Amino acid sequence: MSRPRDTPRLEWLLGVLGLALLIAGVSYLAYQGLARPSKPGALVVTVIDIHSVGDAHVVKFSVRNDGSENLSHLHLSARLSDGDREIEAAQAFIDYLPARSEQRGGVYLRNDPRRYTLRIDPAGYMEP
Amino acid sequence: MSSKQKSAPSSDRQYAIGVARACGGALLFSLPILMTMETWQLGLHMDRLRLALLLVLNVPVLIGLAYYLGFEDSTDLLDATVDAFVALVVAAVLATLILYLLGVLRTDTGPDEWVGTVALQTVTGSVGALLAQSQFGRPSDKNEKRRTGGSVAEYFFMAAGALFLSANIAPTEEVILIAHMMTPWHTIALLAASLFVMHAFVYALEFRGQHQRAAGTTLWGEFASFTVVGYLIAVSISAYMCWSFGRFDGMSFAAALQMSFVLAFPAAIGAAAARLVL
């Protein structure tokens, strides 16, 4: 029973660090579980850039989830229009988009999106 | 071998070697789960409170394992508690590094995902860190500890073994799929097979650490007191794991039970193996 005095300092240091990590982790998770209001995915889609690849155009976008629910199988639709006339449509899927996270993706379009109006909107998702 | 001959200046160095050994062990035992897709997804979308509860309940398991096995030749409960928390650090740091190295976690990953994913991996990693000690570590006074531990220690080891194996397998989609594919007859056969394999592992296959029936006990007595109880522990832990991972959400009682029996098969073997090797 006289062991504790022999315990290496490194052991104490790591042990206390472990306890601190556990408390921090559990508190964070408990806070998220208890205090976080459940707010469905609030999505913000931002076009990052447009590249010409062969005879197609790739629109790279990022989508950020400002809600507090995690989304899976997120389906996004891109529409290219000229006034009321729809020129082209394309789709993209994001496997998982956790709360307060961002994912990137791209859509392929045959018409140059720089010449028309481009909209990328979330269409649907599944609860994981 | 006693640890008391260690001189004070070298004890930090000795300890650092022990920690490095624990890292190696945690790596070996947790790579299969670190490289399983479902665990990343569960880490970010499983119920936060259930994950927190899993982390908290893991601590007494770690303390128990550290008490009986030990990073170093820990002997008293305080040392074991410190070692348990060290195992948590080892597992958390390792999981963070490996998941970052594999590109699962990135700098633009949200904090929820970082905390959730690493926390889930820490459960199996920390148990792995302690298990590795018993397999690769220097011989210690664990045998003596086992004998004084009695049947409580046996049950504890079975629970730890069941926990480790079921935590490794429960996150996979296959558990649900297998449960759907099985008929009630399959389930009964699997239950019987689990019990048979469990008993054979410990008493018949002549593995290192095989148990001898205690004098004055019958085969059926031993079967009832250890194998059947061990199996019930394995089923309970399997059910807890499935519930933690949200596998029971929206399921009927029959489906939940089916899933528990499916997961209890590996858990039972983990429980039996733990009685041998720990």
Side-chain angles (χ1 to χ4, degrees), chain A residues 1-4 6-34 36 68 70-72 95-104 128, chain B residues 3-4 6 11-13 15-16 19 41 44-46 48-49 51-53 55-56 59 72-76 78-80 82-83 85-86 88-90 92-93 106 108-113 115-116 119 173:
Chain A
M1 294 309 283
S2 62
R3 284 296 312 287
D6 302 344
T7 305
R9 262 185 318 172
L10 184 64
E11 183 172 359
W12 278 111
L13 199 75
L14 289 175
V16 169
L17 185 65
L19 181 63
L21 266 181
L22 181 77
I23 292 172
V26 170
S27 314
Y28 185 82
L29 292 169
Y31 167 74
Q32 280 190 314
L34 294 170
R36 192 169 71 181
S68 61
N70 302 319
L71 313 179
S72 78
D95 271 351
Y96 282 91
L97 182 59
R100 287 185 293 284
S101 292
E102 189 181 284
Q103 288 284 343
R104 292 177 175 208
Chain B
S3 61
K4 288 187 180 148
K6 283 187 289 188
S11 67
D12 266 352
R13 193 179 163 276
Y15 190 73
V19 171
Q41 294 161 356
L44 68 94
H45 66 62
M46 77 182 272
R48 301 288 97 175
L49 294 181
L51 180 53
L53 182 67
L55 280 178
V56 171
V59 172
E72 285 297 288
D73 311 296
S74 50
T75 42
D76 66 23
L78 179 68
D79 262 350
V82 177
D83 279 348
F85 286 113
V86 175
L88 278 176
V89 176
V90 166
V93 169
R106 298 182 307 267
D108 62 348
T109 305
D112 291 14
E113 193 171 345
V115 174
E173 303 270 346

Side-chain angles (χ1 to χ4, degrees), chain B residues 134-135 142-143 201-202 205-211 273 275-278:
Chain B
S134 88
Q135 297 309 300
K142 64 170 177 161
N143 288 329
F201 242 75
V202 180
L205 296 183
E206 301 193 349
F207 282 120
R208 177 172 64 89
Q210 173 164 340
H211 289 224
R275 281 187 74 191
L276 293 179
V277 301
L278 296 183

Side-chain angles (χ1 to χ4, degrees), chain B residues 86-145:
Chain B
V86 175
L88 278 176
V89 176
V90 166
V93 169
L94 211 62
T96 308
L97 289 177
I98 299 288
L99 290 176
Y100 189 73
L101 185 67
L102 297 178
V104 176
L105 295 174
R106 298 182 307 267
T107 43
D108 62 348
T109 305
D112 291 14
E113 193 171 345
W114 273 91
V115 174
T117 312
V118 171
L120 182 57
Q121 298 288 350
T122 301
V123 174
T124 42
S126 55
V127 174
L130 290 172
L131 290 184
Q133 178 65 22
S134 88
Q135 297 309 300
F136 308 125
R138 291 170 298 137
S140 65
D141 54 355
K142 64 170 177 161
N143 288 329
E144 199 181 321
K145 190 69 71 52

